[in-house]
C-alpha cells in the first residue's frame, strides 16, 4: 500500500514538473503573453527626453521595461541594415518614413497592422503595415531674431530657400548633412522633386559657402542658432517651436517647396521581443501618446483626434510642399545622397 502511495506521489510530482516546465516555455514563447514582459529595446530617432516620456508611460501601463538608444536617422538606418540576421533592438521610434521605406525594402522590418491605425490617413502609413506614421513636421527656416537684428538690422527675413544664397549669410547658416540626417535629406529631396535633381544639386553647391557647419544631427543647427553661434538653422519646424517655447528668440518660416517628415514607427524584424513591440505599436497609436509627443515636440499628430498643442502651428496654415512624396524620396535616397557627397 505504502509503495502504491509512493508511486502515486512520484507520478503527481512528475506531472507537476512537466506542467511547470511546459508552462515556462509556453510563457517564454509568448503563448501566455510572457514574451511581452521583461524588456524591450528601442532605437529612437526622437530626442531622448521625448522617447523616455512615452516609454515611461508605456512601462507604467504594461509593466514592460525598456532600453532606449538615441540615433540620428542615417545612423539608425545603417545600424539596422548591418544588424539584419542578428537584430539588437525590437522597435524603431521616429525618423522620416522614407527611411522606414528603405528599411522595408532591405527586409529589416516586420509587418504589423495595429487596430489603432484605422484613422491614420493612407498616405501616412505603409499599406502592408511595415511602418505607421505618428506625426507630421515640415522643414522650416529658423532665425535667431536677436542675432538677426545685430547683423542685419531691420532687413526682412528670408521667405524662400533661394534667398538663403545671399552672400551676406556666409557662415551664418547651419544645416545637417543629408547623408546622416533625415531632416536635411527631407529638405533636399523635396527640392529635387520640385526643381529636379540637377537644379537641386546646383542650389546646394551655391549654399555650401554660407553654411557654418553640417552636423550629423538634424536638430543641432537650430540649437546652435538659438545659442547665437550663427543666425539661421534649417531644421524641422517642431524643433524650432520647442526652442521658442523655452524662451529662445526664434522665428520660423516654412517656405514653398519645404518637404515634410511623416515620423514613422516600425517593428524590427527578428527582434528578441516582438510581442512587446506589437504592444508598443498599439500603445503609440492611441491618443494619449500622440498628445504627449505633440505637446513636447510641437509636431502635428497624424491622428485627427489629437489636437494641435498650445503654442504649436497647424501645418495646414503654412506653405509646405503638399505634393511631396516620401515614397519617391525613399526611391531616390541613395542616388541623391551619392550625388551630394561629391559636393565640396
Amino acid at each position: 500500500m505504502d509503495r502504491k502511495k509512493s508511486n502515486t506521489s512520484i507520478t503527481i510530482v512528475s506531472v507537476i514538473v512537466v506542467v511547470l516546465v511546459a508552462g515556462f516555455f509556453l510563457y517564454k514563447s509568448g503563448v501566455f503573453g510572457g514574451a511581452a514582459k521583461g524588456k524591450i529595446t528601442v532605437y529612437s530617432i526622437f530626442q531622448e527626453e521625448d522617447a523616455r516620456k512615452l516609454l515611461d508611460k508605456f512601462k507604467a501601463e504594461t509593466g514592460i521595461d525598456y532600453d532606449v538608444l538615441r540615433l540620428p536617422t542615417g545612423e539608425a538606418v545603417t545600424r539596422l541594415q548591418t544588424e539584419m540576421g542578428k537584430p539588437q533592438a525590437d522597435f524603431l521610434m521616429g525618423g522620416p518614413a522614407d527611411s522606414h521605406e528603405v528599411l522595408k525594402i532591405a527586409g529589416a522590418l516586420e509587418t504589423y497592422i495595429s487596430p489603432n491605425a484605422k484613422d491614420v490617413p493612407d498616405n501616412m502609413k505603409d499599406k502592408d503595415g511595415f511602418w505607421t506614421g505618428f506625426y507630421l513636421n515640415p522643414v522650416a527656416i529658423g532665425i535667431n531674431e536677436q542675432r538677426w537684428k545685430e547683423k542685419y538690422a531691420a532687413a526682412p527675413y528670408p521667405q524662400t530657400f533661394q534667398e538663403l544664397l545671399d552672400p551676406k549669410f556666409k557662415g551664418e547658416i547651419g544645416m545637417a548633412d543629408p547623408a546622416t540626417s533625415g531632416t536635411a535629406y527631407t529638405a533636399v529631396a523635396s527640392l529635387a522633386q520640385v526643381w529636379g535633381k540637377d537644379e537641386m544639386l546646383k542650389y546646394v553647391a551655391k549654399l555650401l559657402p554660407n553654411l557654418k557647419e553640417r552636423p550629423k544631427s538634424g536638430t543641432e543647427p537650430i540649437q546652435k542658432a538659438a545659442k547665437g553661434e550663427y543666425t539661421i538653422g534649417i531644421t524641422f519646424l517642431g524643433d524650432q517651436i520647442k526652442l521658442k517655447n523655452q524662451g529662445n528668440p526664434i522665428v520660423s518660416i516654412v517656405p514653398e517647396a519645404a518637404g515634410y517628415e511623416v515620423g514613422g514607427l516600425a517593428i524590427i524584424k527578428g527582434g528578441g521581443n516582438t510581442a512587446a513591440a506589437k504592444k508598443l505599436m498599439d500603445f503609440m497609436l492611441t491618443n494619449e501618446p500622440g498628445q504627449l509627443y505633440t505637446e513636447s515636440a510641437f509636431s502635428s499628430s497624424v491622428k485627427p483626434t489629437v489636437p494641435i498643442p498650445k503654442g504649436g502651428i497647424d501645418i495646414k496654415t503654412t506653405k509646405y510642399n503638399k505634393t511631396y512624396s516620401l515614397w519617391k524620396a525613399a526611391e531616390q535616397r541613395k542616388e541623391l545622397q551619392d550625388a551630394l557627397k561629391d559636393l565640396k
Side-chain angles (χ1 to χ4, degrees):
M1 191 70 178
D2 287 343
R3 184 178 294 174
K4 203 176 274 188
K5 282 184 180 178
S6 176
N7 288 341
T8 302
S9 299
I10 290 169
T11 301
I12 290 169
V13 169
S14 298
V15 169
I16 290 170
V17 169
V18 169
V19 168
L20 287 173
V21 170
F24 172 78
F25 283 107
L26 286 169
Y27 180 81
K28 292 295 282 182
S29 70
V31 171
F32 298 137
K37 297 297 180 184
K39 186 173 282 191
I40 185 171
T41 301
V42 176
Y43 287 164
S44 176
I45 299 170
F46 293 173
Q47 292 302 300
E48 187 170 337
E49 62 180 297
D50 294 328
R52 288 190 180 278
K53 281 181 188 176
L54 295 165
L55 291 167
D56 284 344
K57 180 71 176 169
F58 174 68
K59 180 180 176 181
E61 289 194 7
T62 64
I64 300 170
D65 201 358
Y66 68 87
D67 283 325
V68 61
L69 175 63
R70 201 273 161 180
L71 296 165
T73 304
E75 287 187 21
V77 171
T78 300
R79 189 178 186 120
L80 285 171
Q81 289 177 319
T82 302
E83 292 175 355
M84 283 177 62
K86 197 173 181 182
Q88 301 300 301
D90 306 293
F91 197 88
L92 179 61
M93 181 181 281
D98 58 84
S99 61
H100 290 246
E101 273 290 302
V102 170
L103 291 168
K104 167 191 166 180
I105 293 165
L109 303 181
E110 182 82 32
T111 179
Y112 175 62
I113 298 177
S114 170
N116 297 334
K118 290 192 297 288
D119 60 344
V120 177
D122 289 344
N123 67 336
M124 297 176 192
K125 62 187 176 187
D126 177 67
K127 65 182 178 65
D128 297 315
F130 284 99
W131 59 266
T132 305
F134 183 60
Y135 63 87
L136 281 174
N137 215 351
V139 174
I141 299 168
I143 298 165
N144 182 318
E145 294 178 282
Q146 185 176 323
R147 186 176 173 96
W148 180 275
K149 287 174 185 173
E150 291 169 0
K151 297 192 72 68
Y152 309 114
Y157 297 136
Q159 300 294 312
T160 68
F161 284 114
Q162 290 286 4
E163 290 177 63
L164 298 179
L165 300 180
D166 191 317
K168 73 182 180 183
F169 295 134
K170 185 172 182 178
E172 289 297 322
I173 301 174
M175 184 175 85
D177 185 345
T180 59
S181 161
T183 307
Y185 179 71
T186 300
V188 298
S190 183
L191 295 180
Q193 289 180 25
V194 175
W195 298 343
K197 172 187 169 183
D198 291 343
E199 285 304 309
M200 179 276 287
L201 291 172
K202 287 177 188 175
Y203 171 80
V204 175
K206 292 176 184 175
L207 180 66
L208 287 177
N210 286 355
L211 296 184
K212 175 78 171 178
E213 62 176 355
R214 289 190 287 172
K216 285 185 177 181
S217 169
T219 59
E220 199 171 321
I222 196 60
Q223 291 167 344
K224 290 190 173 180
K227 292 175 184 175
E229 293 184 29
Y230 38 79
T231 306
I232 298 168
I234 301 171
T235 67
F236 285 127
L237 177 63
D239 298 321
Q240 299 173 16
I241 300 174
K242 185 172 185 174
L243 285 167
K244 181 179 178 68
N245 278 275
Q246 290 171 352
N248 293 284
I250 300 294
V251 62
S252 299
I253 293 105
V254 179
E256 290 183 24
Y260 61 91
E261 169 188 28
V262 175
L265 306 169
I267 295 171
I268 298 164
K269 188 173 184 178
N273 204 343
T274 299
K278 290 179 178 180
K279 286 182 180 291
L280 179 55
M281 180 70 82
D282 292 341
F283 166 79
M284 292 291 288
L285 295 173
T286 58
N287 279 6
E288 188 174 2
Q291 192 155 354
L292 276 174
Y293 185 77
T294 57
E295 288 174 354
S296 178
F298 293 96
S299 57
S300 297
S301 174
V302 298
K303 291 175 77 74
T305 49
V306 176
I308 301 297
K310 185 179 179 182
I313 293 175
D314 184 350
I315 69 166
K316 296 186 190 75
T317 65
T318 72
K319 297 178 180 178
Y320 80 102
N321 176 13
K322 297 177 181 64
T323 65
Y324 175 69
S325 168
L326 61 90
W327 285 274
K328 187 170 183 180
E331 182 185 319
Q332 292 184 310
R333 190 181 188 93
K334 186 177 187 309
E335 176 192 353
L336 295 183
Q337 287 184 327
D338 286 348
L340 286 159
K341 285 174 187 174
D342 293 334
L343 299 178
K344 304 296 181 187

